[in-house]
Amino acid sequence: GTQSGEILGTIIRRNKTMTKLVMYGSRFGGPSTAPTVIRCIADGLSTNTSLQEFVLANSQLGDEGVSLLAQGLGSSNSCLQKLDLGNNGISSIGIRALLDVIIERDSRIADIDLSENAIGSEGASFLADALGRNTVPHLTRLRLRWCNFGDD
């Protein structure tokens, strides 16, 4: 639960050599402790300068979790280039929160996987707008497999 989150946050914050972190299928202790754990991870990400790829697919983040995580992703010292958030129960609300941080902080993320999230037409519109205005200039690859476009 919470203690694990603090440990993960510390590892991510202090490590200067790890370039890839795969946490596929992590559940972060369930609904009551997940926000605290995700905040700890986001805090670690905000000061990490070596992590280039972060895989959090199938981790049940939801909109709240991705919003919390996004706060650590947009750090100016971040070198994160690849983010996998596939199958996390993210809707257009989470997409908006993620894009807001990426745009506001000029994130260097070049590859995002949002597959298997029901982002719907509204989420697709947010993405299309950001891409159309070139407000995510570093993004070169976006995966949107099975995102329920047109189902809302």
Side-chain angles (χ1 to χ4, degrees), residues 18 29 32 65 76 107 111 121 135-136 140 152:
M18 182 173 47
S32 61
S76 60
S107 171
D111 183 334
S121 298
T135 55
V136 284
T140 58
D152 55 347

PDB file of all heavy atoms in Angstrom, residues 18 29 32 65 76 107 111 121 135-136 140 152:
ATOM      1  N   MET A  18      18.644   3.982 -14.138  1.00  0.00           N
ATOM      2  CA  MET A  18      17.537   3.218 -14.717  1.00  0.00           C
ATOM      3  C   MET A  18      16.890   4.019 -15.844  1.00  0.00           C
ATOM      4  O   MET A  18      16.500   5.171 -15.659  1.00  0.00           O
ATOM      5  CB  MET A  18      16.509   2.897 -13.630  1.00  0.00           C
ATOM      6  CG  MET A  18      15.343   2.072 -14.103  1.00  0.00           C
ATOM      7  SD  MET A  18      14.253   1.538 -12.750  1.00  0.00           S
ATOM      8  CE  MET A  18      14.013   3.019 -11.800  1.00  0.00           C
ATOM      9  N   GLY A  29      -2.539  -1.349  -4.524  1.00  0.00           N
ATOM     10  CA  GLY A  29      -3.248  -1.550  -3.271  1.00  0.00           C
ATOM     11  C   GLY A  29      -4.740  -1.291  -3.285  1.00  0.00           C
ATOM     12  O   GLY A  29      -5.373  -1.290  -2.247  1.00  0.00           O
ATOM     13  N   SER A  32      -8.528   2.600  -2.185  1.00  0.00           N
ATOM     14  CA  SER A  32      -8.283   3.447  -1.017  1.00  0.00           C
ATOM     15  C   SER A  32      -6.834   3.931  -0.922  1.00  0.00           C
ATOM     16  O   SER A  32      -6.575   5.035  -0.446  1.00  0.00           O
ATOM     17  CB  SER A  32      -8.673   2.716   0.262  1.00  0.00           C
ATOM     18  OG  SER A  32      -7.899   1.551   0.421  1.00  0.00           O
ATOM     19  N   GLY A  65      -6.049   8.614 -11.319  1.00  0.00           N
ATOM     20  CA  GLY A  65      -4.669   8.156 -11.290  1.00  0.00           C
ATOM     21  C   GLY A  65      -3.815   8.793 -12.365  1.00  0.00           C
ATOM     22  O   GLY A  65      -2.686   9.213 -12.105  1.00  0.00           O
ATOM     23  N   SER A  76      10.406  19.731 -15.872  1.00  0.00           N
ATOM     24  CA  SER A  76      11.346  20.293 -16.857  1.00  0.00           C
ATOM     25  C   SER A  76      12.641  19.490 -16.970  1.00  0.00           C
ATOM     26  O   SER A  76      13.318  19.546 -17.988  1.00  0.00           O
ATOM     27  CB  SER A  76      11.672  21.741 -16.506  1.00  0.00           C
ATOM     28  OG  SER A  76      12.263  21.801 -15.223  1.00  0.00           O
ATOM     29  N   SER A 107       6.506  18.880 -22.333  1.00  0.00           N
ATOM     30  CA  SER A 107       7.063  17.550 -22.098  1.00  0.00           C
ATOM     31  C   SER A 107       7.784  17.023 -23.340  1.00  0.00           C
ATOM     32  O   SER A 107       7.399  17.299 -24.466  1.00  0.00           O
ATOM     33  CB  SER A 107       5.940  16.584 -21.717  1.00  0.00           C
ATOM     34  OG  SER A 107       6.407  15.272 -21.675  1.00  0.00           O
ATOM     35  N   ASP A 111       6.413   9.180 -27.442  1.00  0.00           N
ATOM     36  CA  ASP A 111       5.661   7.961 -27.743  1.00  0.00           C
ATOM     37  C   ASP A 111       4.682   7.688 -26.598  1.00  0.00           C
ATOM     38  O   ASP A 111       5.098   7.473 -25.463  1.00  0.00           O
ATOM     39  CB  ASP A 111       6.658   6.806 -27.895  1.00  0.00           C
ATOM     40  CG  ASP A 111       6.024   5.494 -28.293  1.00  0.00           C
ATOM     41  OD1 ASP A 111       4.834   5.259 -28.011  1.00  0.00           O
ATOM     42  OD2 ASP A 111       6.739   4.667 -28.882  1.00  0.00           O
ATOM     43  N   SER A 121     -15.125   9.849 -28.412  1.00  0.00           N
ATOM     44  CA  SER A 121     -15.004  10.945 -29.380  1.00  0.00           C
ATOM     45  C   SER A 121     -14.470  12.214 -28.741  1.00  0.00           C
ATOM     46  O   SER A 121     -13.703  12.951 -29.357  1.00  0.00           O
ATOM     47  CB  SER A 121     -16.356  11.233 -30.022  1.00  0.00           C
ATOM     48  OG  SER A 121     -16.802  10.104 -30.732  1.00  0.00           O
ATOM     49  N   THR A 135       0.793  21.514 -30.416  1.00  0.00           N
ATOM     50  CA  THR A 135       1.136  21.848 -29.036  1.00  0.00           C
ATOM     51  C   THR A 135       1.841  20.698 -28.310  1.00  0.00           C
ATOM     52  O   THR A 135       2.229  20.851 -27.160  1.00  0.00           O
ATOM     53  CB  THR A 135      -0.124  22.265 -28.246  1.00  0.00           C
ATOM     54  OG1 THR A 135      -1.101  21.239 -28.351  1.00  0.00           O
ATOM     55  CG2 THR A 135      -0.684  23.572 -28.769  1.00  0.00           C
ATOM     56  N   VAL A 136       1.998  19.576 -28.997  1.00  0.00           N
ATOM     57  CA  VAL A 136       2.784  18.451 -28.474  1.00  0.00           C
ATOM     58  C   VAL A 136       3.851  18.111 -29.527  1.00  0.00           C
ATOM     59  O   VAL A 136       3.835  17.036 -30.110  1.00  0.00           O
ATOM     60  CB  VAL A 136       1.895  17.231 -28.124  1.00  0.00           C
ATOM     61  CG1 VAL A 136       1.147  17.458 -26.841  1.00  0.00           C
ATOM     62  CG2 VAL A 136       0.924  16.899 -29.238  1.00  0.00           C
ATOM     63  N   THR A 140       5.841  11.776 -31.568  1.00  0.00           N
ATOM     64  CA  THR A 140       6.019  11.200 -32.907  1.00  0.00           C
ATOM     65  C   THR A 140       5.241   9.903 -33.082  1.00  0.00           C
ATOM     66  O   THR A 140       5.068   9.439 -34.197  1.00  0.00           O
ATOM     67  CB  THR A 140       7.506  10.922 -33.197  1.00  0.00           C
ATOM     68  OG1 THR A 140       8.022  10.034 -32.202  1.00  0.00           O
ATOM     69  CG2 THR A 140       8.310  12.218 -33.221  1.00  0.00           C
ATOM     70  N   ASP A 152     -19.629   7.358 -27.671  1.00  0.00           N
ATOM     71  CA  ASP A 152     -20.181   8.218 -26.616  1.00  0.00           C
ATOM     72  C   ASP A 152     -21.085   9.289 -27.166  1.00  0.00           C
ATOM     73  O   ASP A 152     -21.293   9.447 -28.298  1.00  0.00           O
ATOM     74  CB  ASP A 152     -19.061   8.856 -25.789  1.00  0.00           C
ATOM     75  CG  ASP A 152     -18.040   9.634 -26.615  1.00  0.00           C
ATOM     76  OD1 ASP A 152     -18.030   9.508 -27.849  1.00  0.00           O
ATOM     77  OD2 ASP A 152     -17.247  10.365 -26.001  1.00  0.00           O
TER      78      ASP A 152
END
